[in-house]
Amino acid sequence: QKFTAAKETQILEKERKAKLQYEKQLEERQRKLKEQKQKEEQRRAAVEEKRKQKIEEEKERYEAVLHRTLERNQRLETRQKRWSWGGSVTPDSESKPALLSPGSKRSTSTANLKQAEAVMTKRLSSSAALLNASDRARRSQFSPLDSSVISRLLAPTQASLARSKSAATLSAD
């Protein structure tokens, strides 16, 4: 009986030790899983932070490029206005509001184009009127053949009209 009781206590002790060992292993696994989850969460947070930072840098780079482009376009526009037939650049002409109603869907460049086209048409028609008046006075001195040749030479060509319209369009843009 003593031997059986000792054997039984030994078995119970082994079972208790095995149970303790199993619980320790379970706790260790759970601890490792928690650590792994924390590391994974930290890694995800770092990746997300890096992604946000990259997006912010891209946004800043894009804004800088946009700013440089707008400055360059402004300089080109000023240069074109300065050298075009559209007239000289004055402080007023830079700050004039668009001639369209606030609800209009057209862009200011379209309004500028139409305005420049109107100015160019007016200039060309006034130039043509002056040419015709001086041309008539001269024609009376020449023969009909000479007169037709001279009037042809004085009339603006299609190419010159196209160049003028092109210059107006570029200055309006």
Side-chain angles (χ1 to χ4, degrees), residues 17-31:
K17 283 182 181 179
K19 192 174 181 180
L20 281 176
Q21 182 68 22
Y22 178 73
E23 287 174 0
K24 281 182 184 178
Q25 285 177 349
L26 265 179
E27 287 175 8
E28 186 68 24
R29 277 189 202 144
Q30 287 175 347
R31 186 183 60 79

Side-chain angles (χ1 to χ4, degrees), residues 5 12 18 22 29 39 43 45 50 53 71 102 104 106 118 120 123-124 128 136 151 153 158-159 162 165 171:
L12 286 175
Y22 178 73
R29 277 189 202 144
K39 285 180 183 178
R43 189 188 65 77
K50 196 172 184 178
Q53 191 175 16
E71 283 179 353
S104 176
R106 293 185 188 150
M120 188 56 64
R123 285 184 182 176
L124 287 174
R136 283 189 201 112
S151 67
L153 290 172
Q158 291 289 335
K165 193 171 186 178
S171 67

Side-chain angles (χ1 to χ4, degrees), residues 14 26-27 30 33 47 49 59 70 73 75 79 93 109 112 117 132 138 144 173:
K14 279 184 181 179
L26 265 179
E27 287 175 8
Q30 287 175 347
L33 280 173
V47 166
E49 184 63 32
K59 184 179 175 184
L70 288 175
N73 286 346
R75 284 193 303 260
R79 213 176 290 145
S93 69
S109 64
N112 291 342
E117 196 171 304
N132 287 339
R138 287 188 205 139
D173 286 344

Side-chain angles (χ1 to χ4, degrees), residues 34-137:
K34 276 185 183 179
E35 286 176 3
Q36 191 175 2
K37 282 182 182 179
Q38 284 177 344
K39 285 180 183 178
E40 185 66 25
E41 195 61 38
Q42 286 175 348
R43 189 188 65 77
R44 281 188 191 140
V47 166
E48 183 65 23
E49 184 63 32
K50 196 172 184 178
R51 187 183 67 80
K52 284 181 182 179
Q53 191 175 16
K54 197 172 187 178
I55 288 172
E56 187 65 31
E57 288 172 0
E58 283 291 320
K59 184 179 175 184
E60 288 174 5
R61 195 175 304 125
Y62 173 75
E63 287 174 355
V65 166
L66 186 64
H67 183 69
R68 283 193 306 267
T69 303
L70 288 175
E71 283 179 353
R72 192 177 308 127
N73 286 346
Q74 186 68 29
R75 284 193 303 260
L76 284 173
E77 187 175 302
T78 304
R79 213 176 290 145
Q80 286 173 349
K81 283 181 183 177
R82 193 179 311 148
W83 299 109
S84 73
W85 284 19
S88 64
V89 176
T90 61
D92 303 348
S93 69
E94 296 268 324
S95 62
K96 280 187 185 174
L99 300 174
L100 299 172
S101 65
S104 176
K105 301 246 185 218
R106 293 185 188 150
S107 68
T108 56
S109 64
T110 307
N112 291 342
L113 177 62
K114 289 185 179 195
Q115 185 179 9
E117 196 171 304
V119 168
M120 188 56 64
T121 305
K122 184 178 175 184
R123 285 184 182 176
L124 287 174
S125 63
S126 64
S127 298
L130 286 173
L131 285 172
N132 287 339
S134 63
D135 191 32
R136 283 189 201 112

Side-chain angles (χ1 to χ4, degrees), residues 85 120 157-170:
W85 284 19
M120 188 56 64
T157 64
Q158 291 289 335
S160 68
L161 290 174
R163 279 194 303 275
S164 298
K165 193 171 186 178
S166 175
T169 304
L170 286 174

